[in-house]
Amino acid sequence: MKRKATDSDTNSKAKRQREPEADYCDVIPRKDGKGNALWPASEQSIERARSFLKECAASQSKTLIVPDKDADGLDAGVIIYKTLIALGLSPDLLDVHLINKNVSVHDEMERAAMLAKNPKCIIVVDQGSRAAPPVVDSVDTKSLIIDHHLSDEFPENAIVRYSLSKIKPTN
């Protein structure tokens, strides 16, 4: 059966064009004192993240990966997972926690769910870049935030893959 042609003047509404949002890749990168772009992160931040991952693997302790559920978050989570195994962490000690829909990693329900897994190391990937309480309320748990979103604020007591807040951009 063929569809009937509709009168385009009566049934169509003009759609409002949304203003495109600036892509994080379009942001002018911060620079060190020598004018070198700090991308993807400062050497100090990369070294802190590297040390954190090595320490988690060497500890042979429960480690929790908390990736964002989008493509880059899940991909980064898999890379972290495989890196920890390559560094010698037993796969039995690795767990993944996916945040529920419409809440953030900072939500009290999510923080309690992560704490209930009793991790010694938590790696939050592609989320968490805002001021907040510690990722979980445990002095025995260390947290690493890995994110490509530029921020100067992070959860308390977290190690951050890029902490550019102390480096002023040069013009």
Side-chain angles (χ1 to χ4, degrees):
M1 176 168 26
K2 291 185 178 181
R3 291 189 215 175
K4 293 182 180 179
T6 59
D7 185 3
S8 62
D9 292 336
T10 59
N11 289 337
S12 69
K13 293 181 182 178
K15 292 184 179 180
R16 281 198 302 190
Q17 295 293 323
R18 285 181 35 177
E19 193 70 29
E21 294 181 22
D23 188 76
Y24 72 91
C25 293
D26 295 333
V27 174
I28 297 171
R30 295 180 180 180
K31 298 183 179 187
D32 64 13
K34 297 178 183 175
N36 300 317
L38 296 171
W39 184 257
S42 70
E43 287 296 323
Q44 180 185 18
S45 294
I46 292 172
E47 188 52 44
R48 281 195 315 240
R50 183 180 291 130
S51 295
F52 184 95
L53 295 174
K54 288 178 179 178
E55 182 181 329
C56 287
S59 73
Q60 290 299 311
S61 299
K62 180 79 177 221
T63 299
L64 185 63
I65 301 172
V66 187
D68 192 8
K69 291 188 284 188
D70 60 7
D72 55 334
L74 293 172
D75 288 347
V78 169
I79 292 168
I80 298 295
Y81 189 94
K82 290 183 174 273
T83 298
L84 288 166
I85 291 172
L87 289 170
L89 183 62
S90 171
D92 296 342
L93 296 171
L94 270 168
D95 198 359
V96 175
H97 178 78
L98 297 176
I99 302 298
N100 287 305
K101 193 172 185 174
N102 299 322
V103 295
S104 78
V105 70
H106 309 294
D107 184 86
E108 288 302 320
M109 180 183 70
E110 294 297 338
R111 294 176 69 234
M114 290 184 287
L115 182 60
K117 295 181 180 191
N118 198 29
K120 295 299 177 200
C121 298
I122 296 180
I123 303 155
V124 178
V125 185
D126 194 30
Q127 58 186 335
S129 294
R130 70 168 208 200
V135 177
V136 296
D137 291 324
S138 170
V139 295
D140 296 328
T141 303
K142 294 181 179 183
S143 302
L144 172 67
I145 308 292
I146 299 177
D147 201 345
H148 62 96
H149 300 101
L150 188 61
S151 179
D152 290 330
E153 297 179 325
F154 302 96
E156 295 171 21
N157 305 325
I159 295 171
V160 179
R161 178 170 180 250
Y162 66 88
S163 180
L164 303 177
S165 58
K166 293 190 169 121
I167 299 170
K168 303 290 181 201
T170 57
N171 295 331

